[in-house]
Amino acid sequence: MSVPAAAPESSPPLPEATDNTASPASRLEQGEILFFPQLSFDLTPAEQALLNPDLVERKRKNISFDVQRERLSGVVDPDQQALTQQLLERYYHFSRQLVEELIPAYRGQLRQPTTSLRVHAIADWAQNSSWRKDDRRLHVDAFPSRPLHGDRILRVFSNINPKGQPRCWQVGEDFETLARRYLQRLRQPNPLHTWLLAQLKITKRRRSAYDHLMLQLHDCMKADGELQNGDSARPMAFPAGSTWICFSDQVAHAVSEGQFMLEQTVLLPIEAMEYPERSPLRVLERLTGRSLV
Ligand SMILES: [Fe+2]
């Protein structure tokens, strides 16, 4: 992996070169972003033609593909579905191979893959979003309808912008610092409420106390003007043609700029981690003094 040339002074800095003496698992699990400036995911000329906001159904943030069920969602034009699926399937194999080669211990442990193609410019999409869905606000990821019971959200991203525009993030303080900041405001779930959500199929299974805390943490962060307007976050620019990986349930992030990105999400049980004690579940259990799943 080579270190990229320095960005122009007016641009957000590229992600810093990290301590390469630590293992990729150790670096990821302590909340680093693994950045591969030269690792591009190349589109064929036909796939390039898909890069248009009109590809996705109105009101949808992205096109998504479930490789296990071979289910594609969000493409407006039936004539473009096969090519879009082929692109997303290729990206699934690319990102899975990348993670498994970097961290052989994760091989066979990655669950419920979802592949996404994002075609909207952040500014265009976010201006019509509620504050809760506005990814320009610093947050950690949590799924409202898919309770995780402590499983990690591991994400691979590739900037495929055809005009060379970077994808710009703000990256916040470490997970424990942020969790401590909001801990007093986080409430335990109401058992009747979580039962009802599952019965009504609003959630795919019953939310654990962990899921409830993570959703509140996500909301507290996005609603906190002091956090959003403060200077604790670092800007990072991911150039077109680069790839990066992080645990997005742990790395506080906000997207400030960019258009056209591929993203692979997989879940990882904490038992497969090299350092499970660094997981949000174990950190929150230590801070609250309670079992949360
Ligand atoms: Fe996010």
Side-chain angles (χ1 to χ4, degrees):
M1 191 192 321
S2 60
V3 177
E9 260 178 37
S10 57
S11 307
L14 293 162
E16 286 174 24
T18 47
D19 173 13
N20 290 325
T21 56
S23 72
S26 171
R27 291 160 58 202
L28 263 186
E29 292 177 10
Q30 68 185 6
E32 281 189 42
I33 297 172
L34 300 187
F35 173 50
F36 305 93
Q38 312 292 344
L39 184 60
S40 62
F41 179 81
D42 298 324
L43 275 61
T44 65
E47 290 168 346
Q48 289 272 355
L50 296 171
L51 300 182
N52 183 329
D54 293 338
L55 181 71
V56 64
E57 286 169 8
R58 261 186 86 236
K59 299 195 172 171
R60 277 190 67 117
K61 180 172 160 184
N62 47 255
I63 286 156
S64 67
F65 177 58
D66 178 335
V67 70
Q68 289 172 335
R69 294 181 184 151
E70 291 202 1
R71 195 163 69 196
L72 181 77
S73 316
V75 177
V76 176
D77 182 353
D79 291 343
Q80 292 182 308
Q81 287 179 352
L83 186 60
T84 309
Q85 179 164 329
Q86 176 191 300
L87 167 64
L88 293 180
E89 201 161 351
R90 281 205 309 116
Y91 190 68
Y92 162 73
H93 290 292
F94 165 89
S95 50
R96 180 177 157 179
Q97 186 178 359
L98 174 62
V99 171
E100 292 186 342
E101 279 183 12
L102 271 176
I103 309 174
Y106 289 179
R107 195 169 290 158
Q109 302 288 338
L110 304 170
R111 298 175 184 166
Q112 298 182 35
T114 309
T115 318
S116 299
L117 171 62
R118 300 195 180 181
V119 289
H120 293 297
I122 288 297
D124 294 345
W125 172 254
Q127 68 184 358
N128 297 319
S129 304
S130 66
W131 64 268
R132 193 175 268 124
K133 290 186 175 172
D134 186 352
D135 289 339
R136 294 174 302 180
R137 294 168 184 251
L138 208 56
H139 65 283
V140 289
D141 287 341
F143 296 150
S145 62
R146 187 154 56 131
L148 297 177
H149 293 224
D151 281 355
R152 307 301 315 277
I153 305 174
L154 180 60
R155 285 186 152 160
V156 181
F157 305 90
S158 293
N159 182 351
I160 54 169
N161 188 289
K163 293 183 179 163
Q165 292 166 348
R167 194 156 190 99
C168 300
W169 279 22
Q170 301 282 325
V171 178
E173 296 166 284
D174 69 279
F175 181 84
E176 181 162 342
T177 301
L178 289 162
R180 285 181 184 276
R181 179 178 176 135
Y182 299 106
L183 200 60
Q184 297 306 319
R185 299 186 219 171
L186 306 183
R187 299 281 165 259
Q188 286 293 301
N190 175 333
L192 181 63
H193 182 63
T194 57
W195 176 82
L196 203 57
L197 289 174
Q199 289 300 307
L200 295 173
K201 310 269 187 232
I202 294 170
T203 55
K204 288 186 178 162
R205 57 175 163 162
R206 199 162 174 180
R207 271 184 198 160
S208 63
Y210 168 74
D211 294 291
H212 191 72
L213 292 185
M214 288 297 285
L215 284 165
Q216 288 179 82
L217 185 57
H218 169 277
D219 288 359
C220 282
M221 288 176 71
K222 281 192 172 174
D224 182 354
E226 209 173 288
L227 177 77
Q228 302 302 331
N229 299 321
D231 56 8
S232 60
R234 295 168 290 141
M236 285 186 185
F238 300 97
S242 70
T243 293
W244 62 105
I245 309 175
C246 70
F247 280 112
S248 65
D249 53 0
Q250 177 177 10
V251 175
H253 57 285
V255 193
S256 50
E257 215 180 299
Q259 184 175 16
F260 304 121
M261 185 181 72
L262 282 160
E263 179 213 287
Q264 178 64 49
T265 300
V266 282
L267 305 184
L268 181 82
I270 65 168
E271 297 76 24
M273 294 176 65
E274 196 171 327
Y275 301 96
E277 67 275 15
R278 295 177 184 168
S279 65
L281 172 63
R282 295 290 179 246
V283 170
L284 289 172
E285 286 186 329
R286 178 161 49 78
L287 295 182
T288 59
R290 287 194 298 268
S291 171
L292 297 174
V293 290

